[in-house]
PDB file of all heavy atoms in Angstrom:
ATOM      1  N   GLY A  69      11.135  -3.216  -3.176  1.00 83.00           N
ATOM      2  CA  GLY A  69      10.934  -1.787  -2.988  1.00 83.00           C
ATOM      3  C   GLY A  69       9.510  -1.397  -3.351  1.00 83.00           C
ATOM      4  O   GLY A  69       8.812  -2.129  -4.043  1.00 83.00           O
ATOM      5  N   PRO A  70       9.074  -0.219  -2.886  1.00 87.00           N
ATOM      6  CA  PRO A  70       7.693   0.208  -3.117  1.00 87.00           C
ATOM      7  C   PRO A  70       7.407   0.472  -4.602  1.00 87.00           C
ATOM      8  O   PRO A  70       8.225   1.030  -5.306  1.00 87.00           O
ATOM      9  CB  PRO A  70       7.551   1.476  -2.304  1.00 87.00           C
ATOM     10  CG  PRO A  70       8.853   1.751  -1.674  1.00 87.00           C
ATOM     11  CD  PRO A  70       9.829   0.705  -2.076  1.00 87.00           C
ATOM     12  N   GLU A  71       6.224   0.036  -5.031  1.00 87.00           N
ATOM     13  CA  GLU A  71       5.718   0.313  -6.369  1.00 87.00           C
ATOM     14  C   GLU A  71       4.447   1.137  -6.220  1.00 87.00           C
ATOM     15  O   GLU A  71       3.606   0.828  -5.385  1.00 87.00           O
ATOM     16  CB  GLU A  71       5.328  -0.980  -7.093  1.00 87.00           C
ATOM     17  CG  GLU A  71       6.464  -1.822  -7.567  1.00 87.00           C
ATOM     18  CD  GLU A  71       5.946  -3.082  -8.256  1.00 87.00           C
ATOM     19  OE1 GLU A  71       5.153  -2.964  -9.218  1.00 87.00           O
ATOM     20  OE2 GLU A  71       6.317  -4.170  -7.802  1.00 87.00           O
ATOM     21  N   VAL A  72       4.295   2.162  -7.045  1.00 90.00           N
ATOM     22  CA  VAL A  72       3.106   3.003  -7.033  1.00 90.00           C
ATOM     23  C   VAL A  72       2.201   2.563  -8.186  1.00 90.00           C
ATOM     24  O   VAL A  72       2.682   2.214  -9.257  1.00 90.00           O
ATOM     25  CB  VAL A  72       3.489   4.494  -7.164  1.00 90.00           C
ATOM     26  CG1 VAL A  72       2.248   5.371  -7.262  1.00 90.00           C
ATOM     27  CG2 VAL A  72       4.344   4.919  -5.978  1.00 90.00           C
ATOM     28  N   PHE A  73       0.894   2.558  -7.943  1.00 92.00           N
ATOM     29  CA  PHE A  73      -0.075   2.159  -8.963  1.00 92.00           C
ATOM     30  C   PHE A  73      -1.353   2.966  -8.790  1.00 92.00           C
ATOM     31  O   PHE A  73      -1.576   3.587  -7.757  1.00 92.00           O
ATOM     32  CB  PHE A  73      -0.366   0.653  -8.898  1.00 92.00           C
ATOM     33  CG  PHE A  73      -0.939   0.222  -7.582  1.00 92.00           C
ATOM     34  CD1 PHE A  73      -2.316   0.186  -7.393  1.00 92.00           C
ATOM     35  CD2 PHE A  73      -0.120  -0.122  -6.523  1.00 92.00           C
ATOM     36  CE1 PHE A  73      -2.855  -0.187  -6.177  1.00 92.00           C
ATOM     37  CE2 PHE A  73      -0.654  -0.513  -5.303  1.00 92.00           C
ATOM     38  CZ  PHE A  73      -2.019  -0.544  -5.125  1.00 92.00           C
ATOM     39  N   ASN A  74      -2.199   2.932  -9.808  1.00 94.00           N
ATOM     40  CA  ASN A  74      -3.472   3.658  -9.794  1.00 94.00           C
ATOM     41  C   ASN A  74      -4.645   2.690  -9.680  1.00 94.00           C
ATOM     42  O   ASN A  74      -4.606   1.597 -10.252  1.00 94.00           O
ATOM     43  CB  ASN A  74      -3.629   4.483 -11.072  1.00 94.00           C
ATOM     44  CG  ASN A  74      -2.607   5.570 -11.160  1.00 94.00           C
ATOM     45  OD1 ASN A  74      -2.382   6.306 -10.207  1.00 94.00           O
ATOM     46  ND2 ASN A  74      -1.946   5.684 -12.296  1.00 94.00           N
ATOM     47  N   THR A  75      -5.666   3.131  -8.974  1.00 95.00           N
ATOM     48  CA  THR A  75      -6.905   2.366  -8.813  1.00 95.00           C
ATOM     49  C   THR A  75      -8.070   3.327  -8.944  1.00 95.00           C
ATOM     50  O   THR A  75      -7.995   4.470  -8.496  1.00 95.00           O
ATOM     51  CB  THR A  75      -6.932   1.655  -7.441  1.00 95.00           C
ATOM     52  OG1 THR A  75      -5.847   0.735  -7.377  1.00 95.00           O
ATOM     53  CG2 THR A  75      -8.240   0.909  -7.217  1.00 95.00           C
ATOM     54  N   ASN A  76      -9.152   2.846  -9.556  1.00 96.00           N
ATOM     55  CA  ASN A  76     -10.349   3.660  -9.737  1.00 96.00           C
ATOM     56  C   ASN A  76     -11.559   2.879  -9.251  1.00 96.00           C
ATOM     57  O   ASN A  76     -11.650   1.675  -9.471  1.00 96.00           O
ATOM     58  CB  ASN A  76     -10.524   4.020 -11.217  1.00 96.00           C
ATOM     59  CG  ASN A  76     -11.846   4.704 -11.478  1.00 96.00           C
ATOM     60  OD1 ASN A  76     -12.851   4.063 -11.738  1.00 96.00           O
ATOM     61  ND2 ASN A  76     -11.839   6.015 -11.392  1.00 96.00           N
ATOM     62  N   TYR A  77     -12.483   3.577  -8.606  1.00 96.00           N
ATOM     63  CA  TYR A  77     -13.773   3.022  -8.191  1.00 96.00           C
ATOM     64  C   TYR A  77     -14.865   3.844  -8.858  1.00 96.00           C
ATOM     65  O   TYR A  77     -14.814   5.072  -8.833  1.00 96.00           O
ATOM     66  CB  TYR A  77     -13.949   3.107  -6.671  1.00 96.00           C
ATOM     67  CG  TYR A  77     -13.007   2.230  -5.901  1.00 96.00           C
ATOM     68  CD1 TYR A  77     -11.754   2.690  -5.533  1.00 96.00           C
ATOM     69  CD2 TYR A  77     -13.366   0.945  -5.549  1.00 96.00           C
ATOM     70  CE1 TYR A  77     -10.880   1.884  -4.825  1.00 96.00           C
ATOM     71  CE2 TYR A  77     -12.498   0.131  -4.846  1.00 96.00           C
ATOM     72  CZ  TYR A  77     -11.257   0.612  -4.491  1.00 96.00           C
ATOM     73  OH  TYR A  77     -10.393  -0.194  -3.800  1.00 96.00           O
TER      74      TYR A  77
END
Side-chain angles (χ1 to χ4, degrees):
E71 286 179 56
V72 176
F73 60 92
N74 295 312
T75 298
N76 172 271
Y77 293 88

